Amino acid sequence: AQTIHQWPVAEIKAVGSPLSLGCTIKGKSSPNLYWYWQATGGTLQQLFYSITVGQVESVVQLNLSASRPKDDQFILSTEKLLLSHSGFYLCAWSLGEGLNERLFFGHGTKLSVL
Amino acid sequence: GDKVKQSPSALSLQEGTNSALRCNFSIAATTVQWFLQNPRGSLINLFYLVPGTKENGRLKSTFNSKESYSTLHIRDAQLEDSGTYFCAANNNNRIFFGDGTQLVVKP
């Protein structure tokens, strides 16, 4: 069975500090991977997607970057956090050949930027 | 979102009653997904639909691509059904989420 693990569960960071969030998928070879951001009480916004190792496409620019160093790993990062980066970050993977087919989400990371 | 409109935005149900949530699309959706976000924030995939109807326990969902809408029916609502329901439409390999329906089921 496929499992998706996100870390950390929650972070409190200062404005201007760096950030790294991680996501690991087990039990699925060459998954399509996604990062989403959700403002408190808001909808989900897709930030990045990756079809294969070393390849990442940006959907929305929020002064964040993403990398896929391994087939089963997806990293979201920034060197300088902004207040607007606060929110809930979700990693997801999908089944199927195309993008954005059936999506399965991790448990998310709650980020508070102060 | 402006491409996927969900209604109602909020809903309160008595335990044991039935209700329906709706999504209207202003894009040509090829597939639709419904998710439940629980109070801890986890998103559970309830349905993945091509045009047609699927049923799973007390939940039933329909996707009508010709009329650009999808519905999620909840039968015999239970306390654990509380949370925020999101629909999402796939158009040209891009996915668009609605703003969600906040559901509270009361005893």
Side-chain angles (χ1 to χ4, degrees):
Chain A
Q2 299 88 0
T3 58
I4 179 169
H5 175 61
Q6 279 189 248
W7 72 93
V9 172
E11 279 264 51
I12 300 174
K13 302 278 281 186
V15 169
S17 63
L19 174 77
S20 182
L21 304 181
C23 174
T24 299
I25 316 295
K26 295 299 181 187
K28 173 73 178 166
S29 169
S30 303
N32 294 332
L33 298 176
Y34 311 84
W35 277 111
Y36 279 81
W37 174 77
Q38 184 183 29
T40 302
T43 190
L44 288 102
Q45 174 66 63
Q46 192 176 94
L47 301 176
F48 299 94
Y49 67 86
S50 171
I51 297 171
T52 190
V53 175
Q55 176 267 339
V56 176
E57 299 294 332
S58 172
V59 177
V60 172
Q61 283 291 341
L62 285 179
N63 293 306
L64 295 166
S65 60
S67 64
R68 188 166 175 180
K70 300 179 186 177
D71 185 53
D72 63 353
Q73 198 173 78
F74 206 18
I75 306 295
L76 184 71
S77 61
T78 183
E79 293 186 1
K80 278 189 177 182
L81 279 165
L82 307 173
L83 284 173
S84 57
H85 285 137
S86 291
F88 197 53
Y89 289 84
L90 290 142
C91 179
W93 65 277
S94 67
L95 283 171
E97 295 296 322
L99 281 170
N100 295 309
E101 296 197 25
R102 185 162 195 173
L103 290 169
F104 297 92
F105 285 86
H107 292 296
T109 295
K110 184 174 180 181
L111 175 65
S112 299
V113 183
L114 307 176
Chain B
D2 56 346
K3 295 178 173 60
V4 177
K5 293 286 189 189
Q6 282 191 246
S7 60
S9 57
L11 182 61
S12 181
L13 287 180
Q14 208 68 33
E15 199 175 8
T17 59
N18 307 330
S19 190
L21 313 181
R22 186 174 173 110
C23 273
N24 290 311
F25 313 116
S26 61
I27 52 173
T30 51
T31 61
V32 171
Q33 299 182 62
W34 282 93
F35 300 88
L36 168 60
Q37 188 168 35
N38 64 27
R40 288 175 301 165
S42 295
L43 272 156
I44 302 160
N45 192 304
L46 300 174
F47 290 104
Y48 174 75
L49 295 157
V50 293
T53 297
K54 282 189 178 179
E55 199 161 348
N56 184 2
R58 296 179 293 102
L59 301 179
K60 184 169 80 171
S61 185
T62 296
F63 171 32
N64 185 322
S65 57
K66 289 182 182 177
E67 296 182 27
S68 298
Y69 74 88
S70 178
T71 55
L72 176 67
H73 291 262
I74 303 173
R75 176 174 53 83
D76 184 24
Q78 301 296 303
L79 298 178
E80 61 265 28
D81 295 334
S82 295
T84 303
Y85 289 80
F86 289 97
C87 69
N90 190 324
N91 168 260
N92 288 330
N93 281 331
R94 286 195 64 190
I95 194 162
F96 300 91
F97 277 79
D99 289 337
T101 294
Q102 291 187 353
L103 174 66
V104 174
V105 180
K106 296 180 177 179

